[in-house]
Amino acid sequence: MCDLGEDVVSTYLQNNPDFLTRWLSEHGTAEQLQAVAGKLTEESSENVRPSLPNFTQVAKNSITGSIFKQYLEGSRARKTSIKKDRNSLQHMSEEDIFMELIRDISSELDVNVLCHKILQNVNILTNSDRGSLFLVRGSRDNRYLVSKLFDVTNTSTLEESIHTSDNEIKVPFGKGIAGHVAQSKDTVNIANAYEDPRFNQEVDKRTGYTTHSILCLPIINYEGEVIGVAQIINKIDGNHEFTRQDEELFRKYLTFCGIGITNAQLFEMSVTEFQRNQLLLHLARGIFAEQTNLEKLVKKIMVEAQDLLKCERCSVFLLEDTFENDIHKFTKRFVARLGQCSNKNLVMAMQDINLLNPLGGTNTMDPSNMSTPSSTSGEHKEARNLQEVSFSMAFYLNAKDRENVLEPSQKDLAKSKTAEIAKFVVMQGTAVNIPDLEIDGRFGKGPCVDPDGFHIRSVLCMPVFNSDKKIIGVTQLMNKLNSSPFDDNDEHIIEAFSIFTGLGIHNCQMYENACRLMAKQTVALEVLSYHATAQKEETEKLVECEIPSADDYRLYSFDFDDMVLSDDDTLRAVIRMFTDANIINSFKVPYDVICRWTASVKKNYRPVTYHNWRHAFNVCQTMFTMLFTGQLRPLFGDLEIYALMVACLCHDLDHRGTNNAFQVKVASPLAMLYSTSVLEHHHFDHCIMILNSEGNNIFQSLSPGDYRNAIKMLEHAILSTDLAIYFKKRGDFKSMIEDGEQTFDTKYKKDLLKAMMMTACDVAAIAKPWEIQQNVAQLVAGEFFEQGDIEKLKLGEQPIPMMDRDKKDELPKMQVGFIDAICMPVYKLFASMTDKLDPLYNGCQSNRTNWQQLADNIDTEKSSDTPKPETGSKTDSNKEILSSSPQPSPQPLSNDHVASKSRDTDSVTLASQKQNGASSHTAQSAHNGSQSPPASSRSVHKAPQSKYQPTSPARKAIKQDSVCDSDFSPKHSKSKKQRSGFCVMS
């Protein structure tokens, strides 16, 4: 024999690779096999390592993730270990055999494969002929065993031994040998099966196999709970009886098997849960993809959820009032019944159909007293009986026809057992799980068959709630595919399905409501646009009339007084300002359009006391004067002049006579629509609405770019009238003016200038001559007091002092504070820009002196002990203190306090009645260097007598609305007798 060297052996093994495998399997020790396996693993890792990221944990997770993905995709092939026979393990010690068999099952995550390996390995350990394995199923109160694998031998395959839901054997706890072991957790070792009464001999008779001995043990998890039972039959050697050593080996091995089965079941549950979550996410996407039609949505949900529900039929029932409130139902039933009454008697029609008490509520014909849609499920239970529950529609989906959703007729629903169960769930307001409908008996005797021939065995039914906790429908599952009753897991599934169904219905409702609201809004805007547009006759009158000159109206004067003008005169004056500003010609605005727009803007101001068309007209006139008399015109382009004048006329459109703080306080729709600058945003939106109305687009000739710029400038200018914005920007404007800015050549600088100009124009009443200011301020105070009265009487709150009639004595001090905090700073800055704007600053300063003198006189009167003369004497100087200052202090107002009331404190002034027998107008003309002509001399053209002339009804109303009529000029207020008391508008 030749010597065998390594080269010869190596050559032989290379030429005969199967020899090494056979030799290792027959003669290799555990240590040798483990060493070879370790070497192979090490080499494999070294080969793979360069292509993997240098993160050990990530690599491990990726391997686990790939296994998980394979299970999800169903592409993971079941591992079949090399079949072990007893001869191949004979050379191993008992401990080595035990560990080898444990390693064989330790990495298996498929429950079926794992159980098959367990039984085969137990056969090897105990020298048994075959075995079976049962797993625990059912709820804690109703547990039973199902045969997972039956009669597994050392040579049988998994496919031959596995039991499915169609052929599995169910063994209740406590019944038979396996049931006894599951219940008692005891070990049962039977030497002669036929002598044990618990053994079922029918199995042997049916299979022809003879059972001698049986060893049966429970499989326990880490919590000590029985999760299965393993049973082996007929020991091969000896007398066919299992020994104590077999029991011990079996028990030890099953301990590790319990861990493996638990892990495999957890893994299986995680895969199932992941698949379920993916289906639910898919359902969610479907819900948001289809919102336009309820029927399409429900059908889509049912089709896509079929894989999740795993039942023979899924149904969804929708209550009749899902989209109808009780008032609509009242009308619907009433009209239907009335058509059946020959005499058309209303009361009889209602009594015949019990509409006086349709849902068991208040016995009244007023549908507003009927049950509201926000009733809870508990209220459903009290208010309804089975006959009164009605479904508007229902949907059936059968597992055998997954693409065809059926819609039963109302006639079929009336006879349907499933519909009856659904009505019962609506009444109860809770889920119902019926394992066997015929045995249950609550819904009649069997057989339970629906009109379409569907046979009902088990039912799981769940109510669907909306956001108000009201039942709007019912979801129903019938006949689980594996023929078992619905369990807790199924209840969780249908609960999730019901939630998604409810979400879908809710989204459809919201979508349909939004569509209806949009349609209503469109109609409302059309109606509003029609009624908000000036009448044809008014427009034609303005188009055809002759427009007086600006000098006739004194439009270039800072002491302009609109009281001498009629309403028609104000419209003509606006056209004159647009004409003199060269806007109509420059932008080719059709004359009829500018006339119609002006009249429409006037029409859209509410008849509130102060923030009305007259105020907007005065603001526009002040802007016109600042631009041309104040010589600010060269700083702006034509489009900017156009936008500024339009913004002034529109800056208080649809004002309600209350300020921003009030809108927020009462949670008005405007406050809900806009988070900041509530009224200002509304004024701008209303302005756009008028521009979009037919025949009112004064920007129609602009290019698209100029149009966008004009709208942006409009919005910026109108929002700038919010005093909160004024306080934020005033510091930057002050810095620019102090730095000598004259050109305003950047967009930011020019926007800042325009914002300050809007505020200066908005509060310009404070710079008017004293007589004009008195008349205007009386209107301001009247509006503020009206808001204060509402806050007192309707809201039960104490108004701020400037709106409190009871704090009238403090108003002169607050007026001084307002002038110092808001008016004087901005007018002083403009006066420092150009002396052409001095009249605004001088007028404001002069009026501050008057208010300060009034405040000093009030303090003197309060500190004097001299009794006041009787009210009503000719020497009385009863005064109306009308102010919009937000603080009862002579100190300047804080920015925060004024900002909180927004820009409604715009023309903050105090007023008194004009002097008896004399005009105090001369006291306020010093800033112009000459005395203004008397009011009677300012009637500028031969127009019909204006109601705003000195003898007009408006002037008379100012007197008549006052409790007293006396001089309130500071120069006539020095005598204590002349200041007997203050009075306010009634």
Side-chain angles (χ1 to χ4, degrees):
M1 179 182 290
C2 62
D3 295 334
L4 292 178
E6 291 186 4
D7 294 339
V8 176
V9 174
S10 176
T11 302
Y12 179 82
L13 292 177
Q14 288 178 355
N15 296 330
N16 301 275
D18 295 337
F19 173 79
L20 179 61
T21 304
R22 289 197 306 272
W23 190 90
L24 287 174
S25 62
E26 294 176 0
H27 306 290
T29 65
E31 290 78 4
Q32 291 173 333
L33 293 173
Q34 189 171 2
V36 172
K39 181 64 176 177
L40 291 174
T41 302
E42 182 179 350
E43 292 179 355
S44 175
S45 300
E46 290 177 353
N47 293 333
V48 175
R49 190 175 296 115
S51 63
L52 293 176
N54 190 23
F55 299 106
T56 306
Q57 188 61 41
V58 172
K60 291 180 180 178
N61 290 339
S62 65
I63 294 172
T64 306
S66 64
I67 296 174
F68 191 79
K69 185 177 180 181
Q70 290 172 2
Y71 271 95
L72 290 175
E73 296 174 349
S75 60
R76 178 173 170 83
R78 284 173 172 162
K79 294 191 304 180
T80 55
S81 59
I82 299 174
K83 288 186 178 181
K84 303 176 178 60
D85 54 51
R86 295 179 176 86
N87 295 329
S88 65
L89 300 177
Q90 282 179 353
H91 66 279
M92 299 174 62
S93 65
E94 182 179 291
E95 182 179 351
D96 291 338
I97 295 175
F98 192 80
M99 296 304 298
E100 176 68 18
L101 297 181
I102 290 176
R103 278 194 294 270
D104 187 42
I105 66 171
S106 61
S107 60
E108 184 56 59
L109 295 175
D110 187 307
V111 174
N112 296 327
V113 175
L114 175 64
C115 293
H116 186 257
K117 284 184 176 182
I118 289 173
L119 290 176
Q120 285 190 325
N121 292 344
V122 166
N123 290 341
I124 294 174
L125 279 174
T126 60
N127 286 324
S128 58
D129 181 56
R130 62 190 60 197
S132 301
L133 193 144
F134 302 83
L135 295 180
V136 176
R137 293 286 186 267
S139 63
R140 185 172 295 274
D141 298 330
N142 183 30
R143 292 190 296 173
Y144 56 92
L145 297 173
V146 294
S147 56
K148 194 67 177 176
L149 292 107
F150 198 74
D151 280 351
V152 176
T153 66
N154 192 36
T155 59
S156 62
T157 64
L158 174 64
E159 289 72 17
E160 294 171 346
S161 307
I162 192 168
H163 275 193
T164 64
S165 57
D166 295 329
N167 62 348
E168 66 183 14
I169 302 171
K170 295 181 181 179
V171 180
F173 269 37
K175 301 293 183 180
I177 297 173
H180 169 77
V181 170
Q183 187 175 55
S184 64
K185 300 181 184 180
D186 294 336
T187 299
V188 173
N189 189 348
I190 303 173
N192 191 337
Y194 284 86
E195 293 180 357
D196 195 304
R198 294 170 296 185
F199 176 67
N200 184 3
Q201 300 181 22
E202 293 297 326
V203 177
D204 280 3
K205 292 179 181 179
R206 188 169 61 250
T207 60
Y209 181 81
T210 302
T211 303
H212 299 287
S213 57
I214 298 175
L215 179 58
C216 190
L217 273 79
I219 304 174
I220 310 294
N221 66 6
Y222 68 97
E223 293 179 335
E225 295 288 335
V226 176
I227 61 173
V229 171
Q231 177 179 282
I232 51 177
I233 301 173
N234 292 355
K235 191 173 177 68
I236 296 175
D237 55 358
N239 58 1
H240 301 295
E241 295 182 6
F242 293 102
T243 64
R244 291 285 183 183
Q245 185 181 7
D246 294 329
E247 291 183 17
E248 192 63 27
L249 276 174
F250 199 6
R251 184 178 298 105
K252 287 181 180 180
Y253 192 68
L254 289 183
T255 301
F256 292 97
C257 293
I259 298 173
I261 291 175
T262 300
N263 290 338
Q265 287 178 332
L266 289 174
F267 182 80
E268 190 177 69
M269 289 172 58
S270 66
V271 172
T272 303
E273 191 64 31
F274 182 84
Q275 293 172 333
R276 182 185 305 164
N277 291 338
Q278 291 297 106
L279 285 171
L280 291 176
L281 288 174
H282 190 62
L283 279 179
R285 285 191 291 268
I287 287 174
F288 293 108
E290 177 59 65
Q291 301 185 54
T292 59
N293 185 279
L294 178 64
E295 296 181 26
K296 291 181 180 179
L297 174 69
V298 174
K299 291 178 180 178
K300 185 179 181 70
I301 293 175
M302 294 176 70
V303 169
E304 295 182 349
Q306 185 63 37
D307 291 334
L308 182 70
L309 303 176
K310 300 185 183 303
C311 62
E312 294 182 8
R313 171 175 283 186
C314 167
S315 303
V316 175
F317 300 87
L318 299 182
L319 284 174
E320 187 177 39
D321 58 350
T322 300
F323 290 96
E324 295 180 307
N325 61 31
D326 290 326
I327 296 178
H328 290 162
K329 290 196 296 179
F330 181 92
T331 305
K332 182 178 177 180
R333 296 181 187 179
F334 174 72
V335 172
R337 184 66 185 100
L338 185 62
Q340 302 172 8
C341 296
S342 58
N343 58 357
K344 299 295 187 292
N345 185 291
L346 302 183
V347 176
M348 290 297 296
M350 295 167 71
Q351 290 176 341
D352 287 347
I353 58 173
N354 197 27
L355 276 178
L356 296 177
N357 192 11
L359 295 178
T362 306
N363 191 10
T364 174
M365 289 190 297
D366 182 6
S368 63
N369 289 330
M370 297 161 67
S371 300
T372 63
S374 61
S375 302
T376 63
S377 59
E379 291 170 335
H380 278 279
K381 186 175 178 180
E382 295 178 1
R384 290 179 169 173
N385 56 49
L386 203 61
Q387 288 71 33
E388 289 176 343
V389 178
S390 177
F391 297 116
S392 59
M393 58 183 72
F395 306 93
Y396 295 162
L397 178 64
N398 295 322
K400 295 180 180 180
D401 187 9
R402 300 177 55 171
E403 299 299 325
N404 187 20
V405 178
L406 306 176
E407 294 185 51
S409 65
Q410 291 294 328
K411 181 179 179 181
D412 289 339
L413 284 178
K415 301 177 181 178
S416 172
K417 285 286 184 184
T418 55
E420 184 180 352
I421 297 170
K423 292 179 181 180
F424 178 78
V425 170
V426 172
M427 284 181 54
Q428 297 298 316
T430 57
V432 171
N433 188 349
I434 304 175
D436 192 313
L437 188 59
E438 295 184 8
I439 296 176
D440 185 82
R442 285 179 289 178
F443 303 96
K445 298 180 180 179
C448 298
V449 181
D450 258 6
D452 62 350
F454 183 82
H455 187 273
I456 310 165
R457 297 190 303 274
S458 58
V459 178
L460 179 58
C461 201
M462 180 80 67
V464 178
F465 295 91
N466 64 7
S467 58
D468 296 324
K469 304 297 183 182
K470 178 191 174 185
I471 297 176
I472 58 175
V474 174
T475 56
Q476 195 175 79
L477 307 183
M478 285 163 282
N479 300 354
K480 203 168 179 179
L481 288 178
N482 59 8
S483 301
S484 62
F486 293 102
D487 54 22
D488 293 341
N489 186 51
D490 298 313
E491 291 185 12
H492 295 155
I493 292 175
I494 193 175
E495 183 179 10
F497 176 70
S498 299
I499 291 173
F500 278 95
T501 304
L503 283 173
I505 295 173
H506 178 74
N507 283 348
C508 270
Q509 285 179 312
M510 296 298 293
Y511 179 83
E512 293 189 4
N513 289 338
C515 290
R516 283 195 293 266
L517 288 175
M518 289 178 65
K520 289 181 180 179
Q521 183 185 37
T522 302
V523 174
L525 286 175
E526 290 175 354
V527 173
L528 181 62
S529 175
Y530 173 79
H531 289 286
T533 301
Q535 296 299 315
K536 181 179 179 181
E537 295 77 10
E538 186 177 10
T539 302
E540 291 177 350
K541 179 181 177 181
L542 184 58
V543 170
E544 295 171 359
C545 73
E546 182 180 352
I547 306 298
S549 68
D551 291 335
D552 291 338
Y553 284 134
R554 303 184 73 247
L555 293 175
Y556 289 99
S557 174
F558 284 105
D559 63 355
F560 170 77
D561 183 9
D562 73 291
M563 289 291 187
V564 299
L565 304 180
S566 66
D567 283 352
D568 289 342
D569 285 329
T570 61
L571 296 176
R572 299 186 189 103
V574 170
I575 301 299
R576 171 52 60 193
M577 287 188 285
F578 278 114
T579 302
D580 285 11
N582 199 32
I583 288 173
I584 298 177
N585 291 332
S586 296
F587 296 100
K588 298 180 176 58
V589 185
Y591 193 69
D592 63 320
V593 174
I594 192 70
C595 290
R596 184 181 299 107
W597 177 84
T598 303
S600 297
V601 169
K602 172 182 171 294
K603 185 176 182 181
N604 279 267
Y605 274 92
R606 300 193 183 198
V608 295
T609 307
Y610 174 67
H611 287 95
N612 49 39
W613 162 251
R614 290 281 175 158
H615 167 64
F617 170 67
N618 275 282
V619 173
C620 184
Q621 186 275 331
T622 304
M623 178 64 72
F624 181 79
T625 307
M626 291 184 70
L627 289 170
F628 294 97
T629 306
Q631 297 184 1
L632 296 181
R633 172 66 180 84
L635 298 175
F636 301 102
D638 291 343
L639 187 61
E640 291 173 308
I641 300 297
Y642 194 6
L644 282 172
M645 293 183 64
V646 170
C648 288
L649 288 172
C650 298
H651 82 282
D652 270 335
L653 274 169
D654 197 45
H655 200 289
R656 283 88 192 286
T658 53
N659 61 11
N660 283 340
F662 182 85
Q663 298 295 328
V664 174
K665 185 183 299 183
V666 300
S668 70
L670 287 181
M672 297 174 66
L673 189 59
Y674 311 108
S675 58
T676 59
S677 301
V678 176
L679 288 170
E680 288 73 26
H681 277 103
H682 176 59
H683 302 325
F684 169 71
D685 287 347
H686 206 88
C687 171
I688 299 301
M689 187 273 292
I690 296 176
L691 286 173
N692 290 332
S693 301
E694 185 177 357
N696 286 286
N697 188 2
I698 57 176
F699 295 151
Q700 62 185 356
S701 300
L702 299 179
S703 67
D706 285 346
Y707 186 90
R708 287 192 295 270
N709 290 334
I711 297 301
K712 289 180 181 178
M713 287 188 282
L714 263 180
E715 182 178 23
H716 172 264
I718 292 176
L719 294 183
S720 294
T721 58
D722 186 345
L723 283 181
I725 296 177
Y726 161 72
F727 282 120
K728 291 179 182 178
K729 295 182 176 181
R730 191 176 68 184
D732 290 348
F733 184 66
K734 182 174 182 293
S735 298
M736 280 199 308
I737 300 303
E738 290 176 348
D739 291 342
E741 181 63 45
Q742 293 292 328
T743 59
F744 297 92
D745 52 357
T746 66
K747 183 180 184 301
Y748 174 75
K749 292 178 180 179
K750 193 169 286 188
D751 285 347
L752 195 56
L753 175 60
K754 287 186 286 187
M756 294 299 107
M757 290 176 67
M758 289 298 297
T759 299
C761 294
D762 202 14
V763 299
I766 201 70
K768 293 286 185 179
W770 181 246
E771 182 190 38
I772 300 174
Q773 187 187 14
Q774 294 176 54
N775 294 327
V776 173
Q778 189 168 345
L779 300 176
V780 176
E783 184 172 290
F784 286 170
F785 287 164
E786 289 168 5
Q787 176 176 325
D789 293 341
I790 294 174
E791 292 178 356
K792 276 185 180 180
L793 300 177
K794 295 187 177 181
L795 303 182
E797 297 183 0
Q798 183 64 31
I800 58 177
M802 72 180 227
M803 297 183 180
D804 190 353
R805 296 181 189 271
D806 299 333
K807 300 288 181 65
K808 57 185 180 295
D809 291 351
E810 302 175 10
L811 295 181
K813 296 180 181 180
M814 294 188 289
Q815 179 67 8
V816 174
F818 175 79
I819 293 174
D820 290 341
I822 297 174
C823 306
M824 290 292 286
V826 69
Y827 290 136
K828 185 176 181 181
L829 292 172
F830 277 113
S832 63
M833 282 179 58
T834 172
D835 57 3
K836 300 297 184 181
L837 297 177
D838 283 348
L840 291 173
Y841 178 67
N842 293 336
C844 182
Q845 196 170 40
S846 176
N847 285 328
R848 185 195 185 283
T849 302
N850 292 335
W851 296 125
Q852 185 63 60
Q853 188 172 359
L854 289 174
D856 294 341
N857 292 339
I858 293 173
D859 291 339
T860 302
E861 180 184 273
K862 288 182 177 180
S863 62
S864 175
D865 295 330
T866 306
K868 297 179 181 179
E870 295 180 3
T871 302
S873 67
K874 293 182 179 181
T875 59
D876 286 346
S877 180
N878 297 325
K879 295 171 281 292
E880 294 181 353
I881 306 301
L882 307 174
S883 171
S884 46
S885 171
Q887 291 186 357
S889 169
Q891 300 299 323
L893 296 174
S894 68
N895 293 354
D896 292 339
H897 190 75
V898 177
S900 69
K901 287 173 286 301
S902 188
R903 60 155 306 282
D904 287 296
T905 58
D906 49 6
S907 291
V908 179
T909 55
L910 289 174
S912 67
Q913 283 290 22
K914 66 178 183 175
Q915 180 181 358
N916 286 331
S919 172
S920 63
H921 184 68
T922 57
Q924 300 303 313
S925 61
H927 65 280
N928 285 331
S930 61
Q931 180 174 326
S932 299
S936 60
S937 68
R938 285 183 276 154
S939 183
V940 294
H941 64 287
K942 295 181 180 179
Q945 182 174 345
S946 169
K947 68 176 182 177
Y948 283 97
Q949 291 178 356
T951 58
S952 69
R955 287 283 174 104
K956 292 179 181 179
I958 294 176
K959 290 184 179 183
Q960 294 169 356
D961 286 343
S962 301
V963 176
C964 49
D965 182 17
S966 61
D967 178 51
F968 194 32
S969 176
K971 67 180 182 178
H972 292 285
S973 303
K974 295 180 180 180
S975 171
K976 189 190 304 180
K977 291 184 179 181
Q978 291 176 321
R979 296 181 293 100
S980 60
F982 296 96
C983 54
V984 295
M985 291 165 50
S986 58

